[in-house]
Amino acid sequence: ILRNPFDLLCSYYHHGVGLEPNKQYCYSGWGSVNYIHQFKSFEEFIRGYCDEEFEWHQPLFKQFLFSQLFNENGDCVPDILLKYEYLNESVQVMNKTWNLNLSRRVLNKSARKNHEYTFYYNNELIQLVNKKCKRELKIFKYNYENTLDDSYFVIPEDFKFDI
């Protein structure tokens, strides 16, 4: 499942709990990113993620937000990719097309994310993410405004990611 990189980064930061005082361990952000790097704000998180010199806790994820979709040879493993923004519609189409009985359950919600992702960005942060995630944005046709094409699916023909 793909997701708008701006929204994905927002959830990456807001997942789990806030930082504990005195650098006590806590699960803050995906993979405890906020604890590991001691990010105290979304702006610090974005600046760290977009800084080429900053050593990220998950190097492949910093190279390409969707790196988990690719194998060690750089080939895209899934046969079909769904856009999170069209997940309800995609599930319906898949059920009808392939005679499935899939349903969508919302299990993983960032409790600390109280607003739409656009609330957390300013112009400078938008530009940083546009530059850092230009491949993701271009390949999967996303932008900050989330003006999407009407394709529910992406068929990853010849998509490569060189590790």
Side-chain angles (χ1 to χ4, degrees), residues 86-145:
Y86 290 133
L87 200 49
N88 290 331
E89 295 87 347
S90 298
V91 168
Q92 291 174 14
V93 169
M94 290 170 47
N95 282 340
K96 186 175 181 180
T97 304
W98 294 301
N99 197 27
L100 301 172
N101 189 22
L102 303 173
S103 63
R104 178 171 181 225
R105 295 179 297 157
V106 178
L107 299 174
N108 193 6
K109 184 175 182 323
S110 302
R112 297 184 313 119
K113 185 179 166 195
N114 299 318
H115 306 282
E116 292 293 318
Y117 72 90
T118 54
F119 175 86
Y120 300 97
Y121 286 89
N122 61 35
N123 287 337
E124 185 178 0
L125 298 181
I126 293 167
Q127 291 309 311
L128 287 172
V129 173
N130 272 329
K131 182 179 178 186
K132 171 70 178 98
C133 297
K134 65 184 171 210
R135 291 182 301 165
E136 292 92 330
L137 294 166
K138 181 180 179 184
I139 291 170
F140 300 114
K141 299 179 181 167
Y142 280 112
N143 58 34
Y144 175 74
E145 295 81 18

Side-chain angles (χ1 to χ4, degrees), residues 61-105:
F61 206 56
K62 186 171 182 181
Q63 285 182 37
F64 190 70
L65 276 174
F66 304 111
S67 60
Q68 70 274 18
L69 300 174
F70 296 83
N71 65 19
E72 62 278 355
N73 298 321
D75 300 317
C76 192
V77 176
D79 295 323
I80 190 168
L81 304 171
L82 310 177
K83 287 192 172 181
Y84 178 82
E85 298 79 8
Y86 290 133
L87 200 49
N88 290 331
E89 295 87 347
S90 298
V91 168
Q92 291 174 14
V93 169
M94 290 170 47
N95 282 340
K96 186 175 181 180
T97 304
W98 294 301
N99 197 27
L100 301 172
N101 189 22
L102 303 173
S103 63
R104 178 171 181 225
R105 295 179 297 157

Side-chain angles (χ1 to χ4, degrees), residues 1 7 15 17 19 25 32 50 88 90 130 136 145 151 154:
I1 296 174
D7 193 20
H15 190 77
V17 300
L19 283 180
Y25 175 76
S32 298
C50 294
N88 290 331
S90 298
N130 272 329
E136 292 92 330
E145 295 81 18
S151 60
V154 175

